Coordinates of all heavy atoms in Angstrom, one line a residue:
G264 N -4.3 13.8 -9.0 CA -4.2 12.5 -8.6 C -4.1 12.3 -7.1 O -4.0 13.3 -6.4
N265 N -4.0 11.1 -6.7 CA -3.8 10.8 -5.3 C -2.4 10.3 -5.1 O -1.7 9.8 -6.0 CB -4.9 9.7 -4.9 CG -6.3 10.2 -5.1 OD1 -6.5 11.3 -5.0 ND2 -7.2 9.2 -5.4
A266 N -1.9 10.3 -3.9 CA -0.6 9.9 -3.5 C -0.5 9.4 -2.1 O -1.5 9.7 -1.3 CB 0.4 11.0 -3.8
M267 N 0.5 8.6 -1.7 CA 0.6 8.1 -0.4 C 2.1 8.1 0.0 O 3.0 7.7 -0.9 CB 0.0 6.8 -0.2 CG 0.1 6.3 1.2 SD -0.5 4.6 1.4 CE 1.0 3.7 0.8
T268 N 2.5 8.3 1.2 CA 3.9 8.1 1.7 C 3.7 7.6 3.1 O 2.7 7.8 3.8 CB 4.7 9.4 1.6 OG1 6.1 9.0 1.8 CG2 4.3 10.4 2.6
V269 N 4.7 6.8 3.6 CA 4.7 6.2 4.9 C 5.9 6.7 5.6 O 7.1 6.7 5.1 CB 4.7 4.7 4.8 CG1 4.8 4.1 6.2 CG2 3.5 4.2 4.1
V270 N 5.7 7.2 6.9 CA 6.8 7.7 7.7 C 6.5 6.9 9.0 O 5.6 7.2 9.8 CB 6.6 9.2 7.9 CG1 7.8 9.6 9.0 CG2 6.7 10.0 6.7
G271 N 7.5 6.0 9.4 CA 7.4 5.1 10.6 C 6.1 4.3 10.4 O 5.9 3.6 9.5
N272 N 5.2 4.4 11.5 CA 3.9 3.7 11.5 C 2.8 4.5 11.0 O 1.6 4.2 11.3 CB 3.7 3.2 12.9 CG 4.5 2.0 13.3 OD1 4.9 1.2 12.4 ND2 5.0 1.9 14.5
T273 N 3.0 5.6 10.3 CA 2.0 6.6 9.9 C 2.0 6.6 8.3 O 3.1 6.8 7.8 CB 2.2 7.9 10.5 OG1 2.3 7.8 11.9 CG2 1.1 8.9 10.1
A274 N 0.8 6.5 7.8 CA 0.6 6.7 6.3 C 0.0 8.1 6.1 O -0.9 8.5 6.9 CB -0.2 5.7 5.7
Y275 N 0.4 8.8 5.1 CA -0.2 10.1 4.7 C -0.7 9.9 3.3 O 0.0 9.5 2.4 CB 0.8 11.2 4.7 CG 1.3 11.5 6.2 CD1 2.5 10.9 6.6 CD2 0.6 12.3 7.0 CE1 3.0 11.1 7.9 CE2 1.1 12.5 8.3 CZ 2.2 11.9 8.7 OH 2.7 12.1 10.0
V276 N -2.0 10.1 3.1 CA -2.7 9.8 1.9 C -3.4 11.0 1.4 O -4.0 11.8 2.2 CB -3.8 8.7 2.1 CG1 -4.4 8.3 0.7 CG2 -3.2 7.4 2.7
T277 N -3.2 11.4 0.2 CA -3.9 12.6 -0.4 C -5.0 12.2 -1.3 O -5.1 11.1 -1.9 CB -2.9 13.4 -1.2 OG1 -2.4 12.7 -2.3 CG2 -1.8 14.0 -0.4
S278 N -5.9 13.1 -1.4 CA -7.1 13.1 -2.3 C -7.1 14.3 -3.2 O -6.8 15.4 -2.6 CB -8.4 13.0 -1.4 OG -9.5 13.1 -2.3
A279 N -7.4 14.1 -4.4 CA -7.3 15.2 -5.4 C -8.3 16.3 -5.2 O -8.0 17.5 -5.5 CB -7.4 14.8 -6.8
G280 N -9.5 16.0 -4.7 CA -10.6 17.0 -4.6 C -11.5 16.8 -5.7 O -11.6 15.7 -6.3
V281 N -12.4 17.8 -6.0 CA -13.4 17.7 -7.0 C -13.3 18.8 -8.0 O -13.1 20.0 -7.5 CB -14.8 17.7 -6.4 CG1 -15.9 17.6 -7.4 CG2 -14.9 16.6 -5.3
A282 N -13.3 18.5 -9.2 CA -13.2 19.5 -10.3 C -14.4 19.1 -11.4 O -14.6 17.9 -11.6 CB -11.9 19.5 -10.9
V283 N -14.8 20.2 -12.0 CA -15.7 20.0 -13.1 C -14.9 20.4 -14.3 O -14.4 21.5 -14.5 CB -17.0 20.9 -13.0 CG1 -17.8 20.8 -14.3 CG2 -17.8 20.6 -11.8
F284 N -14.8 19.4 -15.2 CA -13.9 19.6 -16.4 C -14.8 20.0 -17.6 O -15.8 19.4 -17.9 CB -13.1 18.4 -16.7 CG -12.2 18.0 -15.7 CD1 -12.4 16.9 -14.8 CD2 -11.0 18.7 -15.4 CE1 -11.6 16.6 -13.7 CE2 -10.2 18.3 -14.4 CZ -10.5 17.3 -13.6
G285 N -14.5 21.1 -18.2 CA -15.3 21.6 -19.3 C -14.8 22.9 -19.7 O -13.6 23.3 -19.5
S286 N -15.7 23.7 -20.2 CA -15.3 25.0 -20.7 C -16.3 26.0 -20.0 O -17.4 26.2 -20.5 CB -15.4 25.2 -22.2 OG -14.9 26.4 -22.6
P287 N -15.9 26.6 -18.9 CA -14.7 26.6 -18.3 C -14.6 25.4 -17.3 O -15.6 24.9 -16.8 CB -14.6 27.9 -17.5 CG -16.0 28.2 -17.1 CD -16.8 27.6 -18.3
S288 N -13.3 25.0 -16.9 CA -13.2 24.1 -15.8 C -13.3 24.8 -14.5 O -12.9 26.0 -14.4 CB -11.8 23.4 -15.8 OG -11.7 22.6 -17.1
L289 N -13.8 24.1 -13.5 CA -14.0 24.7 -12.1 C -13.4 23.7 -11.1 O -13.6 22.6 -11.1 CB -15.4 25.0 -11.9 CG -16.1 25.9 -12.7 CD1 -17.6 25.9 -12.4 CD2 -15.6 27.3 -12.6
F290 N -12.6 24.3 -10.1 CA -12.2 23.5 -8.9 C -13.3 23.7 -7.9 O -13.3 24.7 -7.2 CB -10.8 23.9 -8.5 CG -9.7 23.7 -9.5 CD1 -8.5 24.5 -9.4 CD2 -9.8 22.8 -10.5 CE1 -7.5 24.2 -10.3 CE2 -8.8 22.6 -11.4 CZ -7.6 23.3 -11.3
T291 N -14.1 22.7 -7.6 CA -15.2 22.9 -6.7 C -15.0 22.6 -5.3 O -15.6 23.1 -4.4 CB -16.5 22.2 -7.2 OG1 -16.2 20.8 -7.3 CG2 -16.9 22.7 -8.6
Q292 N -14.0 21.7 -5.0 CA -13.6 21.3 -3.7 C -12.2 20.9 -3.7 O -11.7 20.1 -4.5 CB -14.5 20.1 -3.2 CG -14.2 19.7 -1.8 CD -15.1 18.4 -1.4 OE1 -16.1 18.3 -1.9 NE2 -14.6 17.6 -0.5
P293 N -11.4 21.5 -2.7 CA -10.0 21.3 -2.7 C -9.7 19.9 -2.3 O -10.5 19.2 -1.6 CB -9.5 22.3 -1.7 CG -10.6 22.5 -0.8 CD -11.8 22.4 -1.6
G294 N -8.5 19.4 -2.6 CA -8.0 18.1 -2.1 C -7.7 18.1 -0.6 O -7.9 19.1 0.1
S295 N -7.2 17.0 -0.1 CA -6.9 16.8 1.3 C -5.8 15.9 1.5 O -5.3 15.2 0.7 CB -8.1 16.4 2.0 OG -8.5 15.1 1.6
I296 N -5.2 15.9 2.8 CA -4.2 15.0 3.2 C -4.8 14.4 4.5 O -5.2 15.1 5.4 CB -2.9 15.7 3.4 CG1 -1.8 14.7 3.8 CG2 -2.9 16.9 4.2 CD1 -0.4 15.2 3.8
T297 N -4.6 13.1 4.5 CA -5.2 12.3 5.6 C -4.0 11.6 6.3 O -3.2 10.9 5.7 CB -6.3 11.3 5.3 OG1 -7.4 12.1 4.7 CG2 -6.8 10.5 6.4
Q298 N -3.9 11.6 7.7 CA -3.0 10.9 8.5 C -3.6 9.6 9.0 O -4.7 9.7 9.6 CB -2.5 11.8 9.6 CG -1.5 11.1 10.5 CD -1.1 12.0 11.7 OE1 -1.7 13.0 12.0 NE2 0.0 11.7 12.4
V299 N -3.0 8.5 8.8 CA -3.5 7.2 9.1 C -2.5 6.5 10.1 O -1.3 6.3 9.7 CB -3.8 6.3 8.0 CG1 -4.4 4.9 8.4 CG2 -4.7 7.0 6.9
D300 N -2.9 6.1 11.3 CA -2.1 5.3 12.1 C -2.2 3.8 11.7 O -3.2 3.2 11.8 CB -2.6 5.5 13.6 CG -1.8 4.7 14.7 OD1 -1.3 3.6 14.3 OD2 -1.8 5.1 15.8
L301 N -1.1 3.3 11.2 CA -1.1 1.9 10.6 C -1.2 0.9 11.7 O -1.9 -0.1 11.5 CB 0.1 1.8 9.7 CG 0.3 2.7 8.5 CD1 1.6 2.5 7.8 CD2 -1.0 2.3 7.6
A302 N -0.6 1.1 12.9 CA -0.7 0.1 13.9 C -2.0 0.0 14.5 O -2.5 -1.1 14.7 CB 0.3 0.5 15.0
A303 N -2.7 1.1 14.7 CA -4.1 1.1 15.2 C -5.1 1.0 14.1 O -6.4 0.7 14.4 CB -4.4 2.4 16.0
R304 N -4.7 1.1 12.8 CA -5.6 1.0 11.7 C -6.7 2.0 11.8 O -7.9 1.6 11.7 CB -6.1 -0.4 11.5 CG -5.1 -1.5 11.2 CD -5.6 -2.8 11.0 NE -4.5 -3.7 10.7 CZ -4.7 -4.8 10.1 NH1 -5.9 -5.2 9.7 NH2 -3.6 -5.6 9.9
R305 N -6.4 3.2 12.0 CA -7.5 4.3 12.2 C -7.0 5.6 11.6 O -5.7 5.9 11.5 CB -7.8 4.5 13.6 CG -6.8 5.1 14.5 CD -7.3 5.3 15.9 NE -6.3 6.0 16.7 CZ -6.1 7.3 16.8 NH1 -6.9 8.1 16.1 NH2 -5.1 7.7 17.5
I306 N -7.9 6.4 11.1 CA -7.6 7.8 10.7 C -7.4 8.7 11.9 O -8.2 8.6 12.8 CB -8.8 8.3 9.8 CG1 -8.8 7.4 8.5 CG2 -8.6 9.7 9.5 CD1 -10.0 7.8 7.6
V307 N -6.3 9.4 11.9 CA -6.0 10.3 13.0 C -6.6 11.7 12.7 O -7.3 12.3 13.5 CB -4.5 10.4 13.1 CG1 -4.1 11.4 14.2 CG2 -3.9 9.1 13.5
R308 N -6.3 12.2 11.5 CA -6.9 13.5 11.1 C -6.8 13.7 9.6 O -6.0 13.0 8.9 CB -6.2 14.6 11.9 CG -4.7 14.8 11.6 CD -4.0 15.9 12.4 NE -4.1 15.7 13.8 CZ -3.2 15.0 14.5 NH1 -2.2 14.4 14.0 NH2 -3.3 14.9 15.8
T309 N -7.5 14.7 9.2 CA -7.5 15.1 7.8 C -7.5 16.6 7.7 O -8.1 17.4 8.5 CB -8.8 14.6 7.0 OG1 -8.9 13.2 7.1 CG2 -8.8 15.1 5.6
A310 N -6.6 17.1 6.8 CA -6.5 18.6 6.6 C -6.8 18.8 5.1 O -6.4 18.1 4.2 CB -5.1 19.0 6.9
S311 N -7.5 20.0 4.8 CA -7.8 20.4 3.5 C -6.7 21.2 2.9 O -6.0 22.0 3.7 CB -9.1 21.2 3.5 OG -10.2 20.4 3.7
L312 N -6.5 21.1 1.6 CA -5.7 22.0 0.9 C -6.5 23.4 0.7 O -7.7 23.4 0.9 CB -5.3 21.4 -0.4 CG -4.4 20.2 -0.3 CD1 -4.1 19.6 -1.7 CD2 -3.1 20.5 0.4
P313 N -5.8 24.4 0.3 CA -6.5 25.7 0.1 C -7.6 25.7 -0.9 O -7.5 24.9 -1.9 CB -5.4 26.7 -0.3 CG -4.1 26.1 0.2 CD -4.4 24.6 0.1
Q314 N -8.7 26.4 -0.7 CA -9.7 26.6 -1.7 C -9.1 27.0 -3.0 O -8.2 27.8 -3.1 CB -10.7 27.6 -1.2 CG -12.1 27.4 -1.9 CD -12.9 26.2 -1.6 OE1 -12.4 25.2 -1.1 NE2 -14.1 26.1 -1.9
G315 N -9.7 26.5 -4.2 CA -9.2 26.9 -5.5 C -8.0 26.1 -5.9 O -7.3 26.5 -6.9
T316 N -7.8 24.9 -5.3 CA -6.8 24.1 -5.7 C -7.3 22.7 -6.1 O -8.5 22.4 -5.8 CB -5.7 23.8 -4.7 OG1 -6.3 23.2 -3.5 CG2 -5.0 25.1 -4.2
Y317 N -6.6 21.9 -7.0 CA -7.0 20.6 -7.4 C -5.7 19.7 -7.6 O -4.7 20.2 -8.0 CB -7.8 20.6 -8.7 CG -8.2 19.2 -9.2 CD1 -9.3 18.6 -8.6 CD2 -7.5 18.6 -10.2 CE1 -9.6 17.4 -9.0 CE2 -7.8 17.4 -10.6 CZ -8.9 16.7 -10.0 OH -9.2 15.4 -10.3
G318 N -5.8 18.4 -7.2 CA -4.8 17.6 -7.3 C -4.0 17.5 -6.0 O -4.1 18.4 -5.2
A319 N -3.3 16.5 -5.8 CA -2.5 16.4 -4.6 C -1.4 15.4 -4.7 O -1.6 14.2 -4.3 CB -3.5 16.0 -3.4
G320 N -0.3 15.7 -5.2 CA 0.9 14.9 -5.2 C 1.5 15.0 -3.8 O 1.2 16.0 -3.1
L321 N 2.4 14.1 -3.4 CA 2.9 14.1 -2.0 C 4.3 13.5 -1.9 O 4.6 12.5 -2.6 CB 2.0 13.3 -1.1 CG 2.4 13.0 0.3 CD1 2.4 14.3 1.1 CD2 1.4 12.0 1.0
R322 N 5.2 14.2 -1.2 CA 6.5 13.7 -0.9 C 6.8 14.1 0.5 O 6.5 15.1 1.0 CB 7.5 14.3 -1.8 CG 7.4 13.9 -3.2 CD 8.1 12.6 -3.5 NE 8.3 12.4 -5.0 CZ 7.5 11.5 -5.6 NH1 6.6 10.8 -5.0 NH2 7.7 11.4 -6.9
A323 N 7.5 13.2 1.2 CA 8.1 13.5 2.5 C 9.5 14.1 2.3 O 10.3 13.5 1.6 CB 8.1 12.2 3.4
G324 N 9.8 15.2 2.9 CA 11.0 15.9 2.8 C 12.0 15.4 3.8 O 11.6 14.9 4.9
A325 N 13.3 15.5 3.6 CA 14.3 15.1 4.5 C 14.2 16.0 5.7 O 14.8 15.6 6.8 CB 15.7 15.3 3.8
D326 N 13.6 17.2 5.7 CA 13.4 18.0 6.8 C 12.3 17.6 7.7 O 11.9 18.3 8.7 CB 13.3 19.5 6.4 CG 12.1 19.7 5.4 OD1 11.3 18.7 5.1 OD2 11.9 20.8 5.0
G327 N 11.6 16.5 7.4 CA 10.5 16.0 8.2 C 9.1 16.6 7.8 O 8.1 16.2 8.3
L328 N 9.1 17.6 6.9 CA 7.8 18.1 6.4 C 7.2 17.3 5.3 O 8.0 16.6 4.6 CB 8.0 19.6 6.0 CG 8.5 20.6 7.0 CD1 8.7 21.9 6.4 CD2 7.4 20.7 8.1
L329 N 5.9 17.4 5.1 CA 5.3 16.8 4.0 C 5.0 17.9 3.0 O 4.5 18.9 3.3 CB 3.9 16.2 4.5 CG 4.1 15.1 5.6 CD1 2.8 14.9 6.3 CD2 4.7 13.9 5.2
Y330 N 5.3 17.6 1.7 CA 5.1 18.5 0.7 C 4.0 18.0 -0.3 O 4.2 16.9 -0.9 CB 6.5 18.8 -0.1 CG 7.4 19.4 0.8 CD1 8.4 18.7 1.5 CD2 7.4 20.8 0.9 CE1 9.3 19.4 2.3 CE2 8.3 21.5 1.8 CZ 9.3 20.7 2.5 OH 10.2 21.3 3.3
V331 N 3.0 18.8 -0.5 CA 1.8 18.5 -1.3 C 1.8 19.4 -2.4 O 1.7 20.6 -2.2 CB 0.5 18.5 -0.5 CG1 -0.7 18.0 -1.3 CG2 0.6 17.6 0.7
T332 N 1.7 18.9 -3.7 CA 1.6 19.8 -4.9 C 0.1 19.8 -5.3 O -0.6 18.7 -5.2 CB 2.5 19.3 -6.0 OG1 2.1 17.9 -6.4 CG2 3.9 19.4 -5.7
A333 N -0.4 21.0 -5.7 CA -1.7 21.0 -6.2 C -1.8 22.1 -7.3 O -1.1 23.1 -7.2 CB -2.7 21.4 -5.1
Y334 N -2.6 21.9 -8.4 CA -2.8 22.9 -9.4 C -3.6 24.1 -8.8 O -4.5 23.9 -8.0 CB -3.6 22.3 -10.5 CG -2.8 21.3 -11.3 CD1 -3.0 20.0 -11.2 CD2 -1.9 21.8 -12.3 CE1 -2.2 19.1 -12.0 CE2 -1.1 20.9 -13.0 CZ -1.3 19.6 -12.8 OH -0.5 18.7 -13.6
T335 N -3.2 25.3 -9.2 CA -3.8 26.5 -8.7 C -4.4 27.2 -9.8 O -4.9 28.4 -9.7 CB -2.8 27.4 -8.0 OG1 -1.7 27.7 -8.8 CG2 -2.3 26.7 -6.7
N336 N -4.5 26.7 -11.1 CA -5.0 27.3 -12.2 C -5.8 26.2 -13.0 O -5.3 25.2 -13.3 CB -3.8 27.9 -13.0 CG -4.4 28.8 -14.2 OD1 -5.3 28.4 -14.9 ND2 -3.9 30.0 -14.3
T337 N -7.0 26.6 -13.3 CA -7.9 25.6 -14.1 C -7.4 25.2 -15.4 O -7.9 24.3 -16.0 CB -9.4 26.1 -14.1 OG1 -9.4 27.3 -14.8 CG2 -9.9 26.2 -12.7
N338 N -6.4 25.9 -16.0 CA -5.8 25.4 -17.2 C -4.7 24.5 -17.0 O -4.0 24.0 -17.9 CB -5.5 26.6 -18.1 CG -4.3 27.4 -17.7 OD1 -3.6 27.0 -16.7 ND2 -4.0 28.5 -18.3
F339 N -4.4 24.1 -15.7 CA -3.4 23.2 -15.3 C -2.0 23.6 -15.6 O -1.1 22.8 -15.8 CB -3.7 21.7 -15.7 CG -5.1 21.3 -15.3 CD1 -6.2 21.4 -16.1 CD2 -5.2 20.8 -14.0 CE1 -7.4 21.0 -15.6 CE2 -6.4 20.4 -13.6 CZ -7.5 20.4 -14.4
S340 N -1.8 24.9 -15.7 CA -0.4 25.5 -16.1 C 0.4 25.8 -14.8 O 1.6 26.0 -14.9 CB -0.6 26.7 -16.9 OG -1.2 27.7 -16.2
T341 N -0.2 25.9 -13.7 CA 0.5 26.3 -12.5 C 0.3 25.4 -11.3 O -1.0 25.1 -11.0 CB 0.1 27.8 -12.0 OG1 0.2 28.6 -13.2 CG2 0.9 28.3 -11.0
Q342 N 1.3 25.0 -10.6 CA 1.1 24.2 -9.4 C 1.8 25.0 -8.2 O 2.9 25.6 -8.5 CB 1.7 22.8 -9.5 CG 0.9 21.8 -10.2 CD 1.5 20.4 -10.2 OE1 2.8 20.3 -10.1 NE2 0.7 19.4 -10.0
D343 N 1.3 24.9 -7.0 CA 2.0 25.3 -5.9 C 2.4 24.1 -5.0 O 1.8 23.1 -5.1 CB 1.1 26.3 -5.0 CG 1.1 27.7 -5.6 OD1 1.9 28.0 -6.5 OD2 0.3 28.5 -5.1
V344 N 3.3 24.3 -4.1 CA 3.7 23.3 -3.1 C 3.3 23.8 -1.7 O 3.7 24.9 -1.3 CB 5.2 23.0 -3.2 CG1 5.6 22.0 -2.2 CG2 5.6 22.6 -4.6
F345 N 2.5 23.0 -1.0 CA 2.0 23.4 0.3 C 2.7 22.3 1.3 O 2.7 21.2 1.1 CB 0.5 23.2 0.4 CG -0.2 24.0 -0.6 CD1 -0.6 23.5 -1.9 CD2 -0.4 25.4 -0.4 CE1 -1.2 24.3 -2.8 CE2 -1.0 26.2 -1.3 CZ -1.5 25.6 -2.5
A346 N 3.4 22.9 2.3 CA 4.1 22.2 3.3 C 3.2 22.0 4.5 O 2.5 22.9 4.9 CB 5.4 22.9 3.7
F347 N 3.3 20.8 5.1 CA 2.6 20.5 6.3 C 3.6 19.8 7.2 O 4.5 19.0 6.8 CB 1.4 19.4 6.1 CG 0.3 20.0 5.3 CD1 0.3 20.0 3.9 CD2 -0.8 20.5 5.9 CE1 -0.7 20.6 3.2 CE2 -1.9 21.0 5.2 CZ -1.8 21.1 3.8
D348 N 3.4 20.0 8.6 CA 4.3 19.2 9.5 C 3.5 17.9 9.6 O 2.5 17.6 9.1 CB 4.5 19.9 10.8 CG 3.3 20.0 11.7 OD1 2.3 19.3 11.5 OD2 3.4 21.0 12.6
Q349 N 4.1 16.9 10.4 CA 3.6 15.6 10.4 C 2.3 15.5 11.3 O 1.6 14.4 11.3 CB 4.6 14.6 11.0 CG 5.7 14.4 9.8 CD 6.7 13.4 10.1 OE1 6.5 12.5 10.9 NE2 7.9 13.5 9.5
S350 N 1.9 16.6 11.9 CA 0.6 16.6 12.6 C -0.5 17.2 11.7 O -1.6 17.5 12.1 CB 0.7 17.3 14.0 OG 0.9 18.7 13.7
L351 N -0.1 17.5 10.4 CA -0.8 18.1 9.4 C -1.2 19.6 9.6 O -2.1 20.2 9.0 CB -2.2 17.3 9.1 CG -2.0 15.9 8.7 CD1 -3.4 15.3 8.3 CD2 -1.0 15.8 7.6
A352 N -0.4 20.3 10.5 CA -0.5 21.7 10.6 C 0.2 22.3 9.4 O 1.3 21.9 9.0 CB 0.2 22.2 11.9
P353 N -0.4 23.4 8.8 CA 0.3 24.0 7.6 C 1.6 24.6 8.1 O 1.7 25.2 9.1 CB -0.8 25.1 7.3 CG -2.1 24.7 7.8 CD -1.8 23.9 9.1
A354 N 2.5 24.5 7.1 CA 3.9 25.0 7.4 C 4.3 25.9 6.2 O 5.5 26.1 6.0 CB 4.9 23.9 7.5
G355 N 3.3 26.4 5.5 CA 3.7 27.4 4.5 C 3.6 26.9 3.0 O 3.3 25.7 2.8
T356 N 3.8 27.8 2.1 CA 3.8 27.5 0.7 C 5.2 27.7 0.2 O 5.9 28.5 0.5 CB 2.9 28.4 -0.1 OG1 1.5 28.3 0.5 CG2 2.8 28.1 -1.6
R357 N 5.6 26.8 -0.7 CA 6.9 26.8 -1.2 C 7.0 27.0 -2.7 O 6.0 26.7 -3.4 CB 7.7 25.4 -1.0 CG 7.7 25.0 0.5 CD 8.6 25.9 1.3 NE 8.8 25.3 2.6 CZ 8.2 25.6 3.7 NH1 7.1 26.3 3.7 NH2 8.6 25.1 4.9
A358 N 8.0 27.6 -3.2 CA 8.2 27.9 -4.6 C 8.5 26.6 -5.3 O 9.2 25.7 -4.8 CB 9.2 28.9 -4.9

């Protein structure tokens, strides 16, 4: 799915990516996270999630990082959490 969170005058919006559902299911394009300047009403930047992922839940952490969840298995049994700083630079994977 898609998600959004607002930090100050900035919105962060996720996109799930593209998957082919069937037998077998395939994750063909990873999701992304987009930074939007609400005051200027413009997109600042977009970052892709890792290849082989699908879905993009989003939460802002108390530590200032953005945490995006995505499925890493086409049977939807496993999700990883990918951390980004507020400039959308990757900040690692979390358990």
